[in-house]
Amino acid sequence: MARACAAVSLAALCLLLLLAAAAATGAREDPIYAGELVWSRQPEVKLQNFSLNREDGFQLLSRPADVTRRKLGERTGVRKKMEVVQQDDEALVKLENAGIERSKAVDSAVLGKYSLWRRENDNEKADSNVRLMRDQMIMARIYTVLAKSRDKLDLYQELLSRIKESQRSLGEATADAELPKSASERAKAMGQVLSKARDQLYDCKAITQRLRAMLQSADEQVRSLKKQSTFLSQLAAKTIPNGIHCLSMRLTIDYYLLSPEKRKFPKSENLEDPDLYHYALFSDNVLAASVVVNSTIVNAKEPEKHVFHLVTDKLNFGAMNMWFLLNPPGDAAIHVENVDDFKWLNSSYCPVLKQLESAAMKEYYFKADRQKTLSAGSSNLKYRNPKYLSMLNHLRFYLPQVYPKLNKILFLDDDIVVQRDLTGLWEVDLNGNVNGAVETCGESFHRFDKYLNFSNPNIAQNFDANACGWAYGMNMFDLEEWKKKDITGIYHRWQTLNENRLLWKLGTLPPGLMTFYKLTHPLDKSWHVLGLGYNPTVEHSEIDSAAVIHYNGNMKPWLEIAMTKYRPYWTKYINYEHSYVHGCKISQ
């Protein structure tokens, strides 16, 4: 019974692989497809003549006698096919099953626009000839292998010649309008050669095996290219564009040329007033921080009640100060601090700092023999991003220590844009929870088992694998509840247990999920829309209605790899005519 099912499966695969493309273009009788898409062996059917129709492509004009012979040939071909299929051995069935299983793992998102089985074309006829020529080349390559193995060297050379001609005509074209005028003639010539090859070489079993081999080869190529693409994407995400580096350097120089009395910000009395709206922003990117502050103030109803607490590193401290001294946030208050000035944040108190000083961690990050080439791929590359070494990334777990006089604070990442007044967040009842955040478990891969190692008993015994994840980037923290529940202490305990990175890999979201487990209040999703740094399918209507949009992912809006359609939401808050911006050649 199982062998019979396998035989039927193979027959279906044969028919599907070679008939689907013809069905897609409505050209099953097209002579250009002859040989590669008609499975029944019909040596007695000869091509008579061709007629070219712009809308329908090439059509075969056959005599009634030819039609009759073809129908008889089809019946004979079906019978022969079944005999071949019935002779298939167990090894071939295993190969088929293996090919199917491996093909399931192929990520279709990286395969590009073209697909042999695609039906959902924007315009069904816009690329029919392009797809036709690609299909021809696939079959021509199969026939070249068969021709060479059977010493049909003349046919082998002819097929190679036609493949080269088709490749030259096709080039990088994705639509028929991009094809040269000679493409039609070359497609016609290829169809004739394929018809000849079919008459001399046709073998269902051999062709099926070649198609399987091509599928597996394409699968391996996709995996390799995807690996390299991820490597390059992660590498690009770690870089600092020349313009932003220039901006930071010029601002820093000018800041230290100022006299001490000119380095002070106004409204310092607002910094500890718990009745105002306070924001925490930790960043080493001057341009990104300016967008966050600017977009928040532009959309605020009462800017004078807003206070920005910006913390940066030693390298960018002067630049951040100079920028906001030159470009104060309207009537709002701002204060810039250097994370290195927090003397209490040391390795004896902070487990992360202690771990970063360990030999094992230095080996993980800096070992000399670690491969850095494309062929090395992207294994754990994103976890070796320098941001994970910076305490700016971990400072979010010490908010009450940094701001002891405040009751509530809104934490913002530097890759967000604010699009409407955020003061309503201070009115949200967190119901005794510490963290107010937008949940991200609309898809299964945004649940806890995506981020934590549930094979470890410390994780499995304390957390629900299906618990809903939430997003960092815009979080309302109740600092009073934080202190009551000793959130920082909880974080320290989990961070200490993860010294060998067995509970989670590096980053702040996994320990955040654990630390605020059952202490997070879900906010309405319109407050925070994510994905603009990796997801090309976020709807503009969803973006336009969001209070905060987040470029989480590698495609940050200040990088060249940013998605063009989302970038204007960010660039609208930058003055490209500003002397420093223009001088550093930062362009829109």
Side-chain angles (χ1 to χ4, degrees), residues 116-391:
L116 182 66
W117 318 117
R118 181 163 49 84
R119 294 290 186 274
E120 63 278 11
N121 301 309
D122 296 335
N123 182 338
E124 292 185 359
K125 295 185 179 181
D127 62 349
S128 59
N129 290 334
V130 170
R131 290 185 289 120
L132 171 62
M133 294 181 72
R134 286 174 175 165
D135 293 343
Q136 285 183 323
M137 286 192 290
I138 290 173
M139 291 309 302
R141 290 188 181 100
I142 293 174
Y143 280 132
T144 57
V145 175
L146 297 179
K148 190 172 184 179
S149 66
R150 299 180 187 182
D151 293 327
K152 302 282 187 180
L153 299 183
D154 290 342
L155 180 57
Y156 172 75
Q157 292 297 332
E158 189 175 3
L159 285 165
L160 286 181
S161 176
R162 295 302 181 192
I163 289 173
K164 290 179 181 178
E165 289 180 355
S166 294
Q167 286 175 332
R168 285 195 294 269
S169 294
L170 189 59
E172 299 296 325
T174 57
D176 293 353
E178 300 172 11
L179 293 172
K181 294 181 180 179
S182 61
S184 296
E185 287 302 319
R186 289 181 176 177
K188 178 179 178 180
M190 175 68 90
Q192 293 172 334
V193 174
L194 288 175
S195 179
K196 184 194 299 186
R198 181 200 63 187
D199 291 342
Q200 297 182 31
L201 304 171
Y202 178 81
D203 184 330
C204 177
K205 183 175 180 179
I207 290 175
T208 302
Q209 289 176 326
R210 290 305 308 167
L211 286 171
R212 285 181 180 137
M214 290 176 70
L215 174 63
Q216 293 178 356
S217 176
D219 182 13
E220 291 300 325
Q221 290 181 19
V222 167
R223 290 173 186 272
S224 176
L225 290 173
K226 186 177 180 182
K227 198 174 184 181
Q228 293 180 19
S229 174
T230 303
F231 178 93
L232 292 172
S233 176
Q234 298 290 351
L235 191 62
K238 296 195 297 182
T239 61
I240 301 175
N242 287 338
I244 294 179
H245 180 71
C246 164
L247 180 64
S248 181
M249 292 301 99
R250 290 192 177 188
L251 288 167
T252 298
I253 292 171
D254 289 349
Y255 175 74
Y256 288 108
L257 292 176
L258 291 178
S259 58
E261 61 271 12
K262 292 183 178 180
R263 297 179 186 178
K264 297 179 180 179
F265 289 101
K267 300 185 178 181
S268 59
E269 67 277 5
N270 290 352
L271 298 180
E272 296 181 345
D273 186 344
D275 295 327
L276 299 179
Y277 304 113
H278 293 265
Y279 300 86
L281 174 61
F282 308 145
S283 175
D284 58 1
N285 186 323
V286 176
L287 200 63
S290 73
V291 170
V292 176
V293 174
N294 190 24
S295 63
T296 304
I297 293 304
V298 166
N299 293 286
K301 294 178 180 177
E302 299 177 290
E304 68 278 3
K305 294 184 178 181
H306 295 256
V307 183
F308 294 92
H309 302 267
L310 203 160
V311 181
T312 189
D313 55 20
K314 183 186 300 183
L315 182 64
N316 293 280
F317 178 71
M320 287 287 187
N321 274 284
M322 189 64 188
W323 178 267
F324 289 107
L325 286 169
L326 292 172
N327 307 278
D331 295 327
I334 191 166
H335 180 52
V336 179
E337 295 180 272
N338 180 359
V339 67
D340 293 312
D341 290 337
F342 299 153
K343 301 306 179 184
W344 52 267
L345 196 61
N346 51 59
S347 57
S348 62
Y349 173 65
C350 176
V352 168
L353 276 176
K354 183 178 180 180
Q355 292 165 14
L356 290 177
E357 293 176 357
S358 69
M361 188 67 75
K362 290 177 181 177
E363 174 72 9
Y364 179 76
Y365 272 97
F366 305 115
K367 61 181 181 180
D369 61 342
R370 188 175 73 245
Q371 291 177 300
K372 298 177 181 179
T373 62
L374 286 179
S375 60
S378 57
S379 176
N380 292 330
L381 182 64
K382 71 177 181 178
Y383 300 109
R384 295 190 173 106
N385 192 312
K387 73 177 183 179
Y388 295 123
L389 296 175
S390 172
M391 276 310 298

